[in-house]
């Protein structure tokens, strides 16, 4: 469906901008979930338009009856806007200039959307002069500044400026938890009425029942293994997980772990630690794994362990619980509240605590069965239906609050007002 087919201007237009790629990890999974929720918005109250920057989105978009338009921001525009921000020039000027000279901005702007949604916390959310609802996934550059991926080479300053601009220019923000709301409020002084809590859920593809062709040819898996899907950032804490495996193998010599994540960032350090501890045959690293294969890895895993230092919450524990995979996670930020009694918890600083959880998961069949049962119950109570309904209420609230003085039809205004109380 093309953008041209969405032409009834008496109905407010809601837009969604998709810019992330699968190898980015959690941001892509979250965008998929937001796309599903976006497609559930009532067509009688809105016109829907998805703008996307990469053709990889086309197979996903083909599942939904929404208008789409492909746009290209271009390298020159990205470099130009970066230099503008670095020079500290006024953002309101950049917003006006971008609307005039950037083709992608003109395409999005002429749709006269009442709200544009940015699930990947894009800088375009404040560089384009359009009403925006923006996801803020975390503020760990403030709360975990010790990690280089959020602090070195000007990254802290860039992230700080980025989130300040999001808060200054957006009509509303999306966060994953009560803690996420509190952190955004205390960090930037944004009113809590503009911070909307929309807890993460597992993306819908995770429940696919389609058999994965050629899986066993692509992956030489051990019969039993602990799984950890995460890019090799320092904060993902692969080193302590590897050290914990060395401890556990003293009692459980058959213990194995499988790691899935692009072989970059802190990967060399992880590989050196594996070699140093003599675990080359006990740690299986598969690099980037596509979505369909990730599902199969969860299904075959003995358990999933996530020793991350970042929060407030994370998506992999939800994916694992949805697929009946028992879990153990870090007891940091909003993670204990996210998993409840459906997971083992450990201090991510402690190799001993990580090892103890790994050993229990490896040996205790009864414990794993109990965690599986509790995990399935937890995700079924907070699934796509609840997420989509919450999303619809947030969108309705922002559209009404942001357009009180504009010419929304009486019937549409009435429908939205009956929806947005949440």
């Amino acid at each position: 469906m093309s953008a041209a087919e969405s032409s009834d201007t008496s109905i407010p237009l809601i837009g969604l901008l998709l810019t992330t790629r699968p190898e980015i990890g959690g941001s892509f999974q979250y965008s998929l979930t937001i796309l599903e929720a976006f497609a559930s918005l009532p067509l009688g109250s809105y016109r829907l338009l998805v703008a996307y920057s990469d053709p990889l989105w086309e197979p996903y978009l083909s599942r939904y009856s929404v208008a789409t338009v492909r746009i290209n921001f271009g390298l020159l525009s990205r470099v130009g806007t970066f230099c503008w921000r670095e020079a500290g020039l006024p953002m309101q000027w950049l917003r006006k200039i971008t609307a005039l000279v950037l083709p992608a901005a003109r395409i999005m702007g002429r749709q006269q959307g009442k709200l544009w949604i940015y699930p990947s916390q894009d800088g375009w959310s404040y560089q384009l002069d359009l009403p925006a609802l923006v996801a803020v996934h975390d503020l760990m550059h403030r709360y975990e500044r010790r990690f280089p991926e959020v602090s070195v080479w000007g990254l802290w300053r860039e992230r700080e400026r980025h989130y300040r601009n999001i808060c200054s220019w957006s009509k509303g923000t999306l966060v994953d938890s009560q803690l996420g709301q509190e952190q955004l409020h205390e960090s930037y002084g944004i009113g809590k009425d503009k911070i909307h809590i929309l807890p993460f859920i597992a993306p819908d593809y995770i429940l696919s029942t389609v058999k994965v062709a050629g899986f066993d040819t692509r992956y030489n898996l051990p019969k039993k293994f602990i799984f950890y899907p995460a890019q090799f950032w320092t904060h993902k804490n692969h080193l302590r997980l590897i050290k914990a495996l060395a401890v556990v193998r003293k009692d459980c010599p058959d213990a194995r772990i499988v790691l899935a994540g692009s072989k970059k960032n802190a990967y060399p350090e992880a590989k050196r630690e594996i070699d140093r501890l003599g675990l080359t045959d006990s740690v299986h690293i598969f690099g980037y794994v596509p979505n369909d294969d990730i599902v199969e890895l969860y299904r075959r895993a003995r358990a999933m362990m996530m020793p991350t230092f970042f929060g407030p919450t994370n998506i992999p524990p939800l994916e694992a619980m949805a697929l009946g995979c028992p879990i153990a996670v870090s007891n940091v930020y909003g993670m204990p509240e996210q998993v409840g009694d459906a997971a083992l918890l450990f201090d991510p600083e402690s190799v001993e605590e990580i090892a103890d959880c790994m050993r229990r998961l490896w040996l205790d069949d009864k414990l794993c069965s109990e965690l599986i049962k509790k995990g399935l119950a937890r995700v079924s109570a907070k699934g796509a239906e609840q997420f989509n309904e919450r999303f619809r209420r947030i969108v309705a609230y922002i559209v009404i609050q942001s357009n009180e003085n504009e010419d929304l039809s009486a019937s549409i205004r009435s429908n939205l007002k009956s929806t947005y109380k949440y």
Side-chain angles (χ1 to χ4, degrees):
M1 182 182 291
S2 71
E5 291 178 74
S6 190
S7 58
D8 183 0
T9 57
S10 67
I11 301 175
L13 182 134
I14 307 296
L16 174 67
L17 180 64
L18 300 173
T19 58
T20 191
R21 295 178 55 83
E23 61 268 22
I24 299 301
S27 180
F28 182 78
Q29 316 302 341
Y30 182 74
S31 294
L32 287 174
T33 304
I34 290 292
L35 172 60
E36 171 74 21
F38 179 81
S40 79
L41 291 172
L43 295 179
S45 298
Y46 308 109
R47 291 175 293 138
L48 304 181
L49 174 64
V50 178
Y52 63 101
S53 60
D54 193 300
L56 69 85
W57 278 104
E58 290 168 2
Y60 298 98
L61 293 170
S62 66
R63 305 171 187 172
Y64 305 103
S65 297
V66 296
T68 63
V69 58
R70 186 178 172 192
I71 57 176
N72 182 10
F73 288 109
L75 178 61
L76 184 60
S77 67
R78 295 176 188 276
V79 173
T81 55
F82 174 79
C83 293
W84 185 286
R85 295 196 309 268
E86 284 294 302
L89 297 173
M91 185 55 60
Q92 60 265 35
W93 296 0
L94 178 60
R95 286 163 65 90
K96 298 300 182 185
I97 293 170
T98 301
L100 293 172
V101 304
L102 186 63
R106 293 200 299 270
I107 291 171
M108 293 171 66
R110 68 170 171 249
Q111 302 296 323
Q112 299 180 339
K114 298 299 183 184
L115 187 66
W116 278 90
I117 300 163
Y118 299 81
S120 301
Q121 51 189 23
D122 284 280
W124 299 114
S125 65
Y126 51 82
Q127 291 161 200
L128 303 179
D129 191 13
L130 301 169
L133 170 63
V134 192
V136 175
H137 298 158
D138 69 75
L139 299 178
M140 290 297 107
H141 71 290
R142 279 181 158 255
Y143 296 92
E144 295 289 352
R145 193 170 179 173
R146 56 182 163 149
F147 292 103
E149 51 264 37
V150 294
S151 60
V152 300
W153 306 112
L155 285 173
W156 191 93
R157 184 183 66 173
E158 176 61 22
R159 286 173 70 96
E160 185 70 3
R161 182 167 49 208
H162 175 67
Y163 291 117
R164 284 191 183 277
N165 276 319
I166 286 176
C167 292
S168 295
W169 294 100
S170 66
K171 297 294 184 182
T173 54
L174 296 172
V175 296
D176 64 332
S177 59
Q178 183 72 43
L179 180 60
Q181 184 186 60
E182 292 171 2
Q183 289 181 342
L184 195 61
H185 173 68
E186 76 175 7
S187 295
Y188 303 116
I190 182 174
K192 289 188 177 180
D193 60 319
K194 288 182 63 178
I195 309 172
H196 305 278
I197 301 171
L198 185 65
F200 293 150
I201 62 169
D204 64 343
Y205 74 81
I206 210 75
L207 298 177
S208 171
T209 57
V210 177
K211 186 174 177 60
V212 181
F215 181 87
D216 291 315
T217 302
R218 288 190 296 279
Y219 306 98
N220 183 23
L221 288 173
K223 292 182 179 179
K224 185 178 178 182
F225 62 90
I226 302 290
F227 182 42
Y228 184 26
Q231 294 196 56
F232 284 87
W233 296 109
T234 307
H235 73 267
K236 295 296 187 181
N237 205 17
H238 288 84
L239 292 183
R240 287 182 180 83
L241 184 68
I242 292 164
K243 290 176 182 178
L245 176 64
V247 173
V248 170
R249 278 180 55 81
K250 295 174 183 177
D251 304 320
C252 309
D254 62 334
R256 302 285 189 274
I257 59 176
V258 167
L259 306 176
S262 300
K263 296 180 180 180
K264 53 186 180 181
N265 306 313
Y267 171 74
E269 293 93 320
K271 187 65 173 66
R272 283 195 295 270
E273 189 67 7
I274 291 167
D275 293 341
R276 185 184 73 82
L277 293 171
L279 297 174
T280 305
D281 295 332
S282 303
V283 181
H284 303 254
I285 304 175
F286 292 119
Y288 167 72
V289 174
N291 289 338
D292 290 345
D293 290 353
I294 282 284
V295 171
E296 191 65 17
L297 285 166
Y298 277 123
R299 287 189 174 130
R300 298 193 185 195
R302 170 67 172 188
M304 192 279 288
M305 297 188 68
M306 190 168 193
T308 182
F309 285 101
F310 275 20
T313 64
N314 288 278
I315 294 176
L318 299 169
E319 295 176 330
M321 287 191 289
L323 288 168
C325 179
I327 58 175
V329 301
S330 301
N331 61 354
V332 297
Y333 298 108
M335 296 274 284
E337 181 182 354
Q338 182 185 31
V339 299
D341 63 352
L344 300 182
L345 299 174
F346 53 77
D347 177 359
E349 296 278 7
S350 172
V351 171
E352 291 74 21
E353 287 192 26
I354 298 171
D356 179 63
C357 287
M358 186 183 296
R359 185 182 297 106
R360 291 174 65 191
L361 291 170
W362 193 259
L363 296 174
D364 194 334
D365 293 343
K366 182 179 179 181
L367 170 65
C368 288
S369 295
E370 291 174 352
L371 291 176
I372 289 171
K373 185 182 300 182
K374 291 176 179 178
L376 289 170
R378 193 166 186 84
V379 295
S380 65
K382 298 181 179 180
E385 182 178 347
Q386 293 83 0
F387 183 94
N388 293 354
E389 176 62 22
R390 175 78 175 174
F391 179 80
R392 289 192 290 267
R393 291 178 182 273
I394 292 169
V395 170
Y397 173 83
I398 296 174
V399 170
I400 287 291
Q401 297 299 105
S402 301
N403 297 279
E404 279 292 349
N405 299 319
E406 294 192 19
D407 186 26
L408 293 176
S409 72
S411 62
I412 289 176
R413 189 180 295 275
S414 176
N415 287 341
L416 295 182
K417 281 190 172 182
S418 68
T419 299
Y420 76 55
K421 299 185 187 304
Y422 65 93

